[in-house]
Amino acid sequence: PRRRFAAGDEFKDTATPASLHLFLTGGATLLAETPFGPHPVARLSAPALLDLRVAFGGSPGIARVAPEPGSVAAWFPADEARALLFDAGASGGAFRRLALASLTAALRETNAALGCFFEGMAAPPPHTRAAAGTIEDGPVDPARASDLFETAGLDPALLPSLGLVARTVLPGAALLTAGERGEEAFLLAEGRLRVSLEIAGAGEEALAILRRGDIAGEMALVDDAPRSADIYAHGGPAVVYVLTRAVFQKLLASGAPEGAPLLAGIALVLARRLEEAIKKAAGFRILAGPV
């Protein structure tokens, strides 16, 4: 079913079943729900999927979508979206490409909005960014990697085709930094990673703490844009398995069935991170008080 939106039309993430729309023309604004009313965090242009979070198991009641007048979108149920996300056929491959692009765009815009929320306020002492420091790359232990893949819900049979190498990040060192070009994504095998953003007028803000089985650095491989946040080893050394741009793009573009679980898992990770970013935006809006 298709719907053409008029001025003032909105849909909230509390709808049952979840209101998932594929925008075919026009676009829409994603807004965080706050006690002071909806607060805009991102704008997406067609083709784009909104709002994937609840369809992928996220929390209702934290956001709404305001389509531009005249936009046309196709609606389909959340269970169909979840089935397509893991589908190994051509339709699943197309859906994953669009889902990853939509989630990446929304998360980048939300992070950018967070980064400039307190602009103009007196800044704290500048944060000293840790230098990138890693121990020399080494081989991946197949047994440990297989166990990690099973923990993360991935097929260990995919391992040989990924060409992974192990990289150890020293305590407090940066695995990657905002603004640099992304050539790799990382599957966290041991330890923890902290995803941080420099907030104008507020300093460093931790966006997420990643744990074993989580994926980091994938957004730059989806849209080729510079890194949007810093990632540090947190509370001790961290070991990551490195996935190159070439391998990632091959899995994404080809729609190869063996890549479906990995790419679907990345989409679920992005949906969770988008939800946390929306919640943080709502928190910032509350701190700012009535306008």
Side-chain angles (χ1 to χ4, degrees):
R2 298 190 181 192
R3 177 180 177 186
R4 181 179 294 275
F5 293 98
D9 284 347
E10 292 183 334
F11 54 90
K12 299 183 180 182
D13 61 13
T14 52
T16 303
S19 298
L20 179 66
H21 290 77
L22 167 58
F23 278 78
L24 304 170
T25 65
T29 299
L30 181 64
L31 304 104
E33 299 283 13
T34 81
F36 303 115
H39 175 73
V41 294
R43 183 198 172 278
L44 274 72
S45 298
L49 285 160
L50 287 164
D51 180 14
L52 284 164
R53 295 174 310 97
V54 178
F56 289 174
S59 304
I62 72 165
R64 69 176 69 183
V65 174
E68 295 176 349
S71 296
V72 175
W75 179 91
F76 54 98
D79 56 355
E80 184 176 342
R82 290 190 292 270
L84 280 169
L85 183 64
F86 290 93
D87 183 89
S91 295
F95 181 83
R96 284 187 292 276
R97 286 192 291 273
L98 190 55
L100 287 168
S102 300
L103 288 165
T104 296
L107 185 52
R108 280 196 184 279
E109 289 219 3
T110 304
N111 284 346
L114 289 173
C116 63
F117 196 96
F118 296 108
E119 276 187 341
M121 297 181 63
H127 170 63
T128 302
R129 198 179 267 179
T134 61
I135 295 177
E136 188 174 322
D137 291 350
V140 170
D141 182 331
R144 294 175 68 183
S146 179
D147 176 65
L148 174 64
F149 267 45
E150 291 176 352
T151 300
L154 304 175
D155 184 359
L158 182 62
L159 271 168
S161 66
L162 296 181
L164 300 176
V165 295
R167 181 172 298 166
T168 301
V169 188
L170 297 175
L175 174 64
L176 54 86
T177 55
E180 67 183 10
R181 176 175 169 80
E183 295 294 341
E184 300 166 327
F186 309 94
L187 180 62
L188 181 55
E190 297 176 20
R192 295 183 295 169
L193 295 171
R194 182 177 78 256
V195 183
S196 296
L197 185 68
E198 285 293 321
I199 307 293
E204 182 191 357
E205 180 77 18
L207 300 180
I209 302 296
L210 308 184
R211 292 172 172 79
R212 187 172 187 266
D214 284 338
I215 295 175
E218 71 295 321
M219 287 170 54
L221 304 191
V222 173
D223 63 4
D224 293 326
R227 305 286 194 191
S228 63
D230 304 318
I231 298 185
Y232 301 98
H234 185 72
V239 177
V240 298
Y241 293 159
V242 182
L243 178 68
T244 66
R245 170 184 291 273
V247 172
F248 180 89
Q249 289 290 349
K250 181 179 179 181
L251 291 174
L252 185 64
S254 68
E258 60 269 22
L262 177 63
L263 297 175
I266 291 174
L268 294 175
V269 167
L270 288 174
R272 290 198 301 269
R273 289 186 194 156
L274 176 58
E275 179 159 310
E276 291 305 312
I278 293 171
K279 290 178 179 178
K280 196 169 288 288
F284 282 5
R285 179 66 187 85
I286 292 169
L287 288 175
V291 175

